[in-house]
Amino acid sequence: MREIIIGGGQLGAIQKSESRAKVVQRMLALLEQAREQGCELVVFPELALTTFFPRWYMEDQDEVDTWFEREMPSDVTRPLFDFSREHGIAISFGYAELTPEGHHYNTSILTDRQGQIIGKYRKVHLPGHVEFDTERDFQHLEKRYFEPGDLGFPTWETQDTVMGMCICNDRRWPETYRVMGLQGVELVLLGYNTPSINSQRQSEGEEHRLFHSQLCMQAGAYQNATWVVGVAKAGIEDGFPLMGGSVIVDPNGFVVAKAEGQGDELIVHACDMDLCNFGKTTIFDFARHRRIEHYGIITRQTGVQRP
Ligand code: CDV
């Protein structure tokens, strides 16, 4: 048995006016709960330190850059890393990254249990649009503010487990899980900010969106025999609702822990990484059963070409 007690640190709404320091205090309160429950790893959402700023249209790049982190840890985030080291709890969270070369990414990091960053992932599938869209009920400007990630989908061996990360919209793409699955991933960590309503189709409300979110994570887990921990930023940010629904999914695709509300909330499960072994050596033993001679179109072609 290779057990890791994992916490999903769902965050409630973060208003535009709220400081990073205040959010870090909320994250530390969740980490304290996680410590009390024996967690060895805690996963926080996408863009955990601020409001979901891509809903706001901005033209001034200096203003845009105020939402980005130039260093990690920084003075304001260091208490998270200190907590990790002092209590032996690895952490993963998302933030907007501005590199020294001037690149902008939607990023997540993973630490070891000594608070050292051992993994970085930059979001590959950026949803939304570049220009102000008058047809939408609200904006989703990730394509304006971020570049697609340049690191692929790496995995890391840590805590005797192969771990990988992805971010929000990535969870809807089977390629995300399979690329990590081919590296033997046993635990996928992901955070999200998903509006409760589709800005282009009001009839698509929260129940519908929660269903799709869970469907993707359960399928990704089962089809790759991996644990998936999906953690929301939820609640109403300056009038714009984000759904909750944080879950821990086991390698059979079953949900084993689920957030009840839309505020700061910790979900916890003792996850046995050896539960991945059965699927990986039987129905999803890739080496025996995949037929790559028929999959070439997946990397040759992006959009649909009808016969
Ligand atoms: N932050 C996201 O990537 N959100 C998308 C929304 C726009 C659909 C998501 O896939 O949840």
Side-chain angles (χ1 to χ4, degrees):
M1 174 131 117
R2 287 178 295 141
E3 189 178 89
I4 307 179
I5 304 179
I6 301 177
Q10 178 174 289
L11 288 170
I14 301 172
Q15 309 308 328
K16 210 177 172 187
S17 60
E18 272 177 77
S19 69
R20 288 164 172 80
K22 198 169 160 201
V23 177
V24 167
Q25 288 308 313
R26 287 166 55 183
M27 293 167 80
L28 286 169
L30 287 168
L31 281 171
E32 179 55 27
Q33 284 180 41
R35 187 192 65 76
E36 284 161 13
Q37 295 187 53
C39 290
E40 295 153 299
L41 166 65
V42 176
V43 185
F44 291 103
E46 173 189 36
L47 299 175
L49 303 172
T50 65
T51 196
F52 188 70
F53 68 85
R55 75 166 65 83
W56 302 109
Y57 179 74
M58 292 172 272
E59 288 183 332
D60 176 0
Q61 191 60 42
D62 288 341
E63 184 188 355
V64 174
D65 287 350
T66 62
W67 297 103
F68 282 76
E69 313 303 316
R70 288 182 164 77
E71 49 180 2
M72 190 58 66
S74 58
D75 286 348
V76 76
T77 52
R78 191 159 292 111
L80 298 168
F81 295 83
D82 292 345
F83 192 101
S84 165
R85 191 184 57 254
E86 279 160 30
H87 301 289
I89 303 176
I91 53 174
S92 174
F93 65 89
Y95 63 97
E97 178 192 11
L98 175 52
T99 71
E101 299 75 32
H103 293 289
H104 295 77
Y105 297 111
N106 187 342
T107 296
S108 340
I109 45 122
L110 169 66
T111 75
D112 60 17
R113 293 181 66 184
Q114 287 73 48
Q116 294 295 323
I117 296 176
I118 54 150
K120 178 180 276 190
Y121 168 72
R122 293 174 173 150
K123 187 173 182 178
V124 165
H125 300 101
L126 296 173
H129 47 110
V130 176
E131 297 302 337
F132 192 91
D133 185 349
T134 53
E135 301 293 308
R136 292 178 185 245
D137 292 343
F138 49 89
Q139 305 298 299
H140 194 105
L141 291 152
E142 284 195 61
K143 277 188 166 36
R144 183 178 183 86
Y145 301 134
F146 299 115
E147 298 159 62
D150 61 345
L151 301 174
F153 294 96
T155 57
W156 302 270
E157 188 147 12
T158 177
Q159 299 195 49
D160 200 20
T161 295
V162 181
M163 298 190 198
M165 291 183 278
C166 64
I167 301 179
C168 196
N169 192 261
D170 289 321
R171 75 193 187 287
R172 305 185 191 274
W173 299 89
E175 294 88 345
T176 297
Y177 304 92
R178 184 49 50 89
V179 171
M180 288 190 266
L182 284 166
Q183 300 168 73
V185 80
E186 297 171 306
L187 175 58
V188 175
L189 313 174
L190 74 97
Y192 58 88
N193 282 250
T194 299
S196 307
I197 301 161
N198 188 328
S199 64
Q200 297 169 293
R201 183 164 72 150
Q202 276 180 357
S203 61
E204 190 181 313
E206 187 158 4
E207 199 181 331
H208 187 135
R209 303 209 109 194
L210 282 166
F211 169 70
H212 281 163
S213 176
Q214 215 169 290
L215 178 70
C216 299
M217 292 189 277
Q218 290 183 265
Y222 167 65
Q223 291 167 345
N224 295 278
T226 178
W227 289 89
V228 173
V229 180
V231 181
K233 173 132 69 61
I236 302 175
E237 293 192 337
D238 295 295
F240 297 93
L242 295 168
M243 65 178 217
S246 303
V247 282
I248 300 178
V249 185
D250 80 9
N252 287 303
F254 291 108
V255 172
V256 294
K258 187 171 179 177
E260 310 256 309
Q262 301 201 320
D264 293 3
E265 181 177 342
L266 185 75
I267 55 171
V268 177
H269 189 78
C271 303
D272 179 6
M273 295 303 139
D274 280 338
L275 268 190
C276 302
N277 299 347
F278 182 74
K280 285 189 191 302
T281 53
T282 57
I283 194 162
F284 297 118
D285 180 347
F286 295 159
R288 277 197 294 146
H289 305 308
R290 290 181 78 243
R291 302 266 38 136
I292 58 171
E293 65 273 30
H294 298 297
Y295 305 157
I297 194 171
I298 287 178
T299 52
R300 260 200 325 271
Q301 187 179 313
T302 310
V304 174
Q305 288 176 24
R306 287 165 63 99

